[in-house]
Amino acid sequence: NSLMKNVYSILLTNLDERLYDDEFGSTLEESIFEIIGDLNGESKLLNQCVSLINKYEPRVVVVEDKSYISISDDNTVVIVLYIKVPRGIARKIELTFRKDS
């Protein structure tokens, strides 16, 4: 599905990485591990994901009350986003970031 590919592209493209469009992309990869220990860190990351998706792929709606972030002891952060596409179909996107020790 092209909408799903678009969402992955939006979230996984680093800011300033796209040629001729230095405003496109996210800072997720560089800021993901800064949330550990930050009381509002998880909500900041979810808000960043929602804002980026709203800005670049407005046909997709993030179901915020079902979406969450999971942090494990082995330096792994998983972002789980439940999204609805135009036909009303709900899908799940899962992004896993792992920090080498």
Side-chain angles (χ1 to χ4, degrees):
N1 187 327
S2 65
L3 283 176
M4 299 298 282
K5 288 179 186 176
N6 289 351
V7 172
Y8 278 108
S9 178
I10 291 164
L11 297 175
L12 295 176
T13 300
N14 292 320
L15 191 63
D16 202 21
E17 186 176 81
R18 183 171 275 183
L19 196 58
Y20 305 115
D21 190 357
D22 57 355
E23 303 253 334
F24 180 85
S26 78
T27 59
L28 284 177
E29 192 171 350
E30 68 185 49
S31 63
I32 194 89
F33 294 101
E34 294 173 7
I35 69 161
I36 299 173
D38 182 348
L39 293 176
N40 298 317
E42 293 176 33
S43 64
K44 287 177 190 174
L45 280 177
L46 282 176
N47 288 339
Q48 182 181 0
C49 292
V50 171
S51 294
L52 286 166
I53 292 168
N54 287 342
K55 180 177 181 179
Y56 292 109
E57 189 52 87
R59 298 174 293 174
V60 172
V61 175
V62 178
V63 183
E64 294 183 58
D65 60 334
K66 291 182 93 175
S67 300
Y68 62 92
I69 294 180
S70 172
I71 303 170
S72 65
D73 291 338
D74 68 346
N75 289 327
T76 302
V77 177
V78 179
I79 300 173
V80 179
L81 300 173
Y82 285 87
I83 62 172
K84 286 188 181 177
V85 294
R87 292 187 203 125
I89 301 168
R91 298 184 183 237
K92 180 173 94 170
I93 288 182
E94 195 169 307
L95 306 170
T96 302
F97 297 87
R98 189 166 286 115
K99 184 176 183 182
D100 296 330
S101 303

